[in-house]
Every structure is written in structure tokens, then in C-alpha cells.
Amino acid sequence: MKKQIFISLIAFALMSSSAHSQKDLFFADIKLAKDTLYPFDVLELTVYLKALEPAIAYPYDKSALLQIRMEEPQQSKWYSYRGIEGNFGGFIDDDSRSKRLLTPDYTFSMPFFFENSPNLELVWKESIHPYSLHPGKYSLRLIYSPNKLLEDFWWVDTAIEKCEDCVIKIVPLIVTDRYPDKHQAAYEWIKKLKYPHCFYLENYLVYANEEYIEMGEEFLRLFPESCFLPFVHCKIGDSLRRIYEQDANKDKALPEETVKKMQTIIMHLSYYKQIKGQDELYIYYKEMHKKFQDRLLRFKVRHGIK
């Protein structure tokens, strides 16, 4: 009961304060995994919103926007993210449209991942498409308003610009169409493939397993020190895994030969440790690596192999 009375008193005091003072009670930030984006790189970022003191305000997921704007070679308008459609917008989580007590013990965070591609045919004419950004300098902008429901202003730029109580964080981003010199040749090789960014990043099946293994092994021979190497190793390992599992019931190989196959899969998948920046791929390959380590151990025990 005392706790409820205390919270009510705090809420009443905060509601009595001026609207503009709310701005200073909140922290906003954008953390980029890297501030220079190369072709095929993932635009990986996490947004953070937090109350520095207890405050009566709109929920973060109802009153925040993430936006992007090109600054150079020419400045564009701000574009808002709108979820899976690809534009940079509002964080929509629940149906609440009322203010609530926000306290410092809760930090709102949300990660975003966009696989960039040098295929400029994917760029929408009327917007910035984060899956295929033109080379240049960009700004990412996070906006939070304690006193306005920004989801109502997705397409009203003037309303955002006049939002005097908004908490705003802007960070720069550089997009380049070239890799550092020691990786450029490898990039040019990949770019000539039919599905270039699927060779490097995507995990769904575009190339047949055997086709990918052949291409991947050729790539490793040509570019043994490339920054793409851990991704290619992992995809070779995953392709070998798929083939192994398809043939597991009809494979009549000697136990020692099966052990070698599984060890090869594990060796390739062990490169997952070098791709930790790409969380989704990292987690996937890590799980496959552990799965086959466990499978190999059980197989050795079953066949008495040390």
C-alpha cells in the first residue's frame, strides 16, 4: 500500500511538471556495429531509450522513430524505418496509447540488421532502401517524444522538426562501394556470381550444396586471406552437413571414413567464431558446429573409436 502511494505521488509530481522539462529526463542512443559499410556488409545497429529519472511519458515503442538521411553527395529527406518493408519508422509493440510511469530500471533496446547489396537495381526510386544503399555519407536519427505519439506523425516531417520536446540522437554512417585494397579482388570475384550476396551472407538455399562447395573451395584457393573467408568456410561446412544428413541412411562408408567427413564439417563450421558481428549467422553456425561435435562424439562411442 505504501509503495502504491509513493508511486502515485511521484506520478502526480511528474504530471505537474512542464512538458519541455521531460526532454532532459531521457537518454537515447544508436550503437553501430561498424560506422563504415562495405558492399555486402550488414548494417547492424541497436537503439536504446531509457528514463534517467521516473517520468510519466508515452511508451518507447509508441513514441519513437528511427530514420535515415543521405548527407553526401547530396542531401535527401529523412526516411523512416517501417519494419520488414525496408524503409527506415515507429516501434509498434502493443496497443497502449496512454502515458505510463517509465522508470530508470527499464532500458528499451531493439537491434536492426540489414544486409547491404551492391545491386543498385534494388534501390527504390522514391526512397532510401537499406538493403542497397548508394555510396555516400548518411545520418541515422533516433527520435523519442515523451509527450507526443510519434506513430501518428510517420509521414509528417514538419511535425517532427517542430517537436521541441523530442529527445534526438544522430550518428554518422559511411557507405562505400569498394573494399580495402587487399580485399577488393575477392569482392570483384564474388560480384560476378549469379547471386553474389547469397554466396557471402544469406543462409537460404540459392546454390545447390554441391555447387556451393565447388565455388567455395575455389574461392578459398584464390583468396586465402580474404575478409570473406570465415563466411565461406561456414557455408561450405553447412553445405557438407546438408549432404551428410541427406545421405546418412544410405551411406555405407567405414566408420573411420564417416569420422573424417564429420571432422571436415566441424572444421569448416568452427570459423563461426570469426563472424560474431553477424549475430544471426553466428548463432546459426555455432548451433550447427555444436550439433556435429556432439554427433561425432556419440558416433565414436558407438563404434569404439578414440
Side-chain angles (χ1 to χ4, degrees):
M1 184 66 179
K2 290 182 178 180
K3 184 177 181 181
Q4 291 177 336
I5 295 173
F6 178 71
I7 292 176
S8 298
L9 289 172
I10 292 176
F12 177 78
L14 292 170
M15 291 178 71
S16 301
S17 64
S18 67
H20 295 303
S21 66
Q22 289 276 73
K23 178 178 179 179
D24 299 326
L25 299 180
F26 291 90
F27 166 82
D29 200 9
I30 301 173
K31 295 291 187 183
L32 290 170
K34 54 193 304 185
D35 57 13
T36 299
L37 200 65
Y38 297 104
F40 299 140
D41 271 358
V42 170
L43 171 53
E44 182 181 350
L45 58 102
T46 304
V47 299
Y48 298 92
L49 289 164
K50 183 178 181 178
L52 301 176
E53 298 178 18
I56 297 294
Y58 281 111
Y60 303 126
D61 53 6
K62 286 294 180 183
S63 201
L65 290 173
L66 175 64
Q67 299 184 318
I68 187 170
R69 179 174 74 182
M70 175 181 273
E71 304 292 355
E72 296 179 12
Q74 60 185 21
Q75 191 177 80
S76 71
K77 69 175 185 179
W78 287 103
Y79 292 96
S80 293
Y81 168 77
R82 293 188 294 121
I84 61 173
E85 293 182 358
N87 267 345
F88 271 75
F91 307 113
I92 304 304
D93 185 43
D94 59 36
D95 294 328
S96 172
R97 293 177 61 85
S98 60
K99 291 184 178 182
R100 63 180 68 166
L101 179 63
L102 303 179
T103 58
D105 58 358
Y106 173 67
T107 299
F108 175 87
S109 64
M110 181 176 287
F112 293 85
F113 303 89
F114 302 104
E115 293 182 6
N116 192 34
S117 168
N119 180 7
L120 295 181
E121 293 178 1
L122 297 177
V123 178
W124 297 350
K125 293 181 180 179
E126 301 301 326
S127 69
I128 294 176
H129 196 306
Y131 297 110
S132 191
L133 295 170
H134 287 283
K137 293 183 178 180
Y138 293 80
S139 291
L140 289 168
R141 180 169 74 169
L142 174 62
I143 306 167
Y144 170 67
S145 173
N147 297 303
K148 287 187 177 67
L149 282 165
L150 292 190
E151 63 171 340
D152 294 336
F153 297 98
W154 279 20
W155 305 112
V156 186
D157 292 338
T158 54
I160 299 299
E161 299 300 335
K162 294 179 180 179
C163 180
E164 295 181 358
D165 76 313
C166 284
V167 183
I168 298 176
K169 175 69 175 184
I170 299 177
V171 297
L173 173 70
I174 296 174
V175 178
T176 177
D177 58 354
R178 285 188 59 87
Y179 276 85
D181 289 344
K182 64 179 181 179
H183 303 303
Q184 182 64 18
Y187 163 61
E188 294 291 345
W189 189 93
I190 295 175
K191 192 167 66 169
K192 294 176 182 178
L193 299 177
K194 186 175 182 180
Y195 304 107
H197 76 293
C198 297
F199 176 85
Y200 168 41
L201 281 177
E202 291 286 0
N203 190 45
Y204 54 72
L205 297 178
V206 174
Y207 299 106
N209 293 319
E210 293 82 0
E211 182 184 16
Y212 186 85
I213 292 168
E214 182 179 350
M215 289 190 302
E217 290 178 342
E218 180 183 358
F219 179 86
L220 294 179
R221 287 193 298 270
L222 293 172
F223 310 104
E225 298 181 359
S226 165
C227 62
F228 304 101
L229 181 139
F231 298 91
V232 176
H233 266 296
C234 284
K235 289 198 72 169
I236 290 175
D238 199 45
S239 298
L240 289 169
R241 175 193 67 81
R242 295 175 193 274
I243 292 173
Y244 176 87
E245 293 182 343
Q246 289 169 3
D247 299 339
N249 294 329
K250 56 185 178 181
D251 191 357
K252 304 301 180 182
L254 295 173
E256 291 77 9
E257 294 177 3
T258 300
V259 166
K260 289 182 179 179
K261 289 181 181 179
M262 298 177 75
Q263 288 174 333
T264 300
I265 293 171
I266 291 169
M267 180 277 293
H268 284 294
L269 289 174
S270 68
Y271 280 81
Y272 81 87
K273 299 170 186 176
Q274 299 182 32
I275 62 173
K276 194 167 184 178
Q278 322 287 341
D279 280 355
E280 293 179 350
L281 283 177
Y282 171 81
I283 292 170
Y284 174 78
Y285 289 135
K286 180 181 180 180
E287 290 176 351
M288 293 301 103
H289 181 260
K290 185 179 186 306
K291 173 183 176 180
F292 260 74
Q293 279 187 319
D294 295 343
R295 191 167 186 169
L296 175 59
L297 180 60
R298 293 194 301 270
F299 186 88
K300 285 184 173 181
V301 170
R302 188 164 65 249
H303 292 275
I305 300 174
K306 294 183 179 181

